[in-house]
Amino acid sequence: MLVPGTQMHFVTFGFICIEFVILFYLIIHRLARPDDKISFLDIFLLLLLIVYNVTGGLLPDFNLPGTFFVQNSVAYATGFMTPCYFPYYVYRGFGLAKMRFHAYRGVFYFLMAPYFLFVTVFAYSGNLEEAKNVLIIPVVYGLWVIYTLAGAIQIKYPDGFKSRSSRVELGVLFLSLVPWIGLPIIAYCDIGQAVEVTVTNTGFLLLLILHMKRQVEQIRSDHKRLIESEQQLLNYDERVQAEVDKRTKELESYNAEERFSQKCEAYRLTKREKEIAGLVCKGVSHRTIGETLFIAERTVAKHAQNIFEKTGVGNKMELCKKMGVVILK
């Protein structure tokens, strides 16, 4: 069933709508996270899929501008562009280092060059069916890429394919490659637009979903680490503040004792008078002072009287003030 006035099947139109929605979401995500460079990979992949679906769905159409040769060349060009991007996408998006050759060289040797050969044969022969024989090269190359892909995943996961993540990744990448390899066969056999679009788009959308799932997991992991870091920072601030308070109190106590010693020397207090003056400023009674220093309470009172006379005060509060302290700790 075709969209009225075009050669585009409704299945193709449906995939285009879905991909536009996903593209809109990815653009919003990119604007929200400008530091996420990997999102460009997904956006570019979707743009390629949309262009592939639009050109493949509308062309060839004698109601549109361009000759039969030009329209088919454009349609097949977009069909080659998306597979060319696939090795680079998995190399950068999934960190498969072994795919580097295919990402930067292989696609030019075994996809782009065959496309130009296809166009050349098509131009000289004028026979599309004859030109399709060139598509055997991308099919064979696709098998090589599958072999390299399996090795790349095995290197990435040293435990082989025992882990669930490695099996999922291999399965999705394989499913996304199968349409690529099968695309020339589908085109050669002229199975139909609906089948071709369904097979190719499903594979690449699975790949995109896997990549987006990885990104969501990474965002969650980064958010979790951020919360943990904030909590550690709060705890660190509390520990630092507690240490600062402790050191401040120690310094204040040291300064108070230092001032007290200087005052005692200034008023020429004896060693015993200094001990008693310190206990008096702490609020200790004469009786307790006597028990602490093993002297009689009257002796304590006598020393206290001498301290008062030397410092020129009449009571304990005035003594503390005179000595520069309120309570010694």
Side-chain angles (χ1 to χ4, degrees):
M1 188 174 181
L2 303 180
V3 176
T6 70
Q7 298 295 320
M8 181 180 293
H9 198 283
F10 268 110
V11 173
T12 307
F13 181 74
F15 273 109
I16 293 174
C17 293
I18 293 172
E19 287 156 6
F20 264 114
V21 171
I22 299 175
L23 179 63
F24 182 70
Y25 162 77
L26 288 177
I27 292 174
I28 293 176
H29 170 78
R30 179 69 182 86
L31 294 174
R33 293 177 61 89
D35 58 325
D36 184 8
K37 306 299 182 183
I38 301 298
S39 60
F40 276 122
L41 297 174
D42 299 328
I43 292 174
F44 193 70
L45 175 62
L46 274 173
L47 288 174
L48 285 176
L49 285 174
I50 291 171
V51 171
Y52 164 73
N53 289 329
V54 171
T55 56
L58 295 177
L59 302 177
D61 188 343
F62 295 108
N63 295 321
L64 296 176
T67 64
F68 178 76
F69 168 76
V70 172
Q71 290 190 15
N72 275 282
S73 297
V74 171
Y76 275 87
T78 58
F80 273 83
M81 285 170 56
T82 307
C84 283
Y85 180 65
F86 173 83
Y88 180 79
Y89 182 82
V90 296
Y91 167 68
R92 291 295 305 276
F94 293 88
L96 300 179
K98 198 175 180 181
M99 295 292 293
R100 180 179 176 84
F101 168 79
H102 297 291
Y104 290 103
R105 294 183 181 180
V107 293
F108 293 101
Y109 298 152
F110 304 104
L111 286 180
M112 295 301 295
Y115 169 72
F116 288 112
L117 179 60
F118 165 83
V119 173
T120 302
V121 173
F122 187 23
Y124 275 95
S125 67
N127 189 334
L128 180 60
E129 299 303 320
E130 183 177 343
K132 285 182 180 180
N133 293 326
V134 179
L135 300 180
I136 189 63
I137 300 175
V139 172
V140 175
Y141 176 60
L143 297 175
W144 180 15
V145 173
I146 285 183
Y147 176 78
T148 307
L149 186 64
I153 296 176
Q154 193 168 17
I155 293 174
K156 182 178 178 181
Y157 298 96
D159 60 344
F161 300 115
K162 296 179 181 179
S163 65
R164 181 177 179 274
S165 57
S166 64
R167 292 195 298 271
V168 170
E169 186 166 309
L170 178 64
V172 172
L173 292 176
F174 179 78
L175 289 175
S176 63
L177 262 178
V178 168
W180 170 21
I181 298 170
L183 183 59
I185 300 174
I186 294 172
Y188 183 81
C189 298
D190 196 18
I191 295 176
Q193 182 185 141
V195 175
E196 177 183 340
V197 169
T198 301
V199 172
T200 53
N201 281 265
T202 300
F204 280 106
L205 286 177
L206 282 174
L207 181 65
L208 179 64
I209 290 171
L210 177 62
H211 192 208
M212 292 174 64
K213 177 176 177 292
R214 296 285 179 84
Q215 284 186 301
V216 170
E217 290 175 351
Q218 183 63 42
I219 292 172
R220 288 179 177 176
S221 178
D222 292 344
H223 180 66
K224 182 179 179 181
R225 287 199 299 269
L226 179 61
I227 293 177
E228 291 175 352
S229 299
E230 289 178 349
Q231 188 61 43
Q232 291 175 357
L233 184 61
L234 289 175
N235 294 336
Y236 178 77
D237 289 343
E238 291 176 357
R239 291 195 299 270
V240 170
Q241 187 61 46
E243 186 66 21
V244 169
D245 292 343
K246 178 182 176 182
R247 296 301 181 186
T248 301
K249 290 180 180 179
E250 290 176 353
L251 184 61
E252 289 175 350
S253 177
Y254 173 79
N255 292 336
E257 292 177 358
E258 184 67 21
R259 289 196 302 271
F260 181 78
S261 297
Q262 291 174 357
K263 292 287 185 180
C264 290
E265 292 177 3
Y267 291 119
R268 300 180 182 277
L269 299 183
T270 65
K271 181 179 180 180
R272 178 64 74 181
E273 289 172 346
K274 180 180 178 180
E275 291 176 337
I276 293 174
L279 294 171
V280 169
C281 287
K282 289 182 178 181
V284 182
S285 64
H286 288 182
R287 181 178 177 182
T288 304
I289 293 174
E291 293 174 353
T292 302
L293 301 179
F294 302 103
I295 58 178
E297 186 176 348
R298 287 177 297 177
T299 304
V300 174
K302 180 62 178 175
H303 282 303
Q305 185 63 36
N306 292 337
I307 294 169
F308 289 167
E309 291 177 357
K310 288 182 179 182
T311 56
V313 299
N315 54 52
K316 296 178 182 180
M317 294 299 296
E318 291 179 1
L319 176 64
C320 290
K321 185 176 181 180
K322 195 82 171 182
M323 301 304 286
V325 294
V326 177
I327 297 178
L328 289 178
K329 294 184 180 179

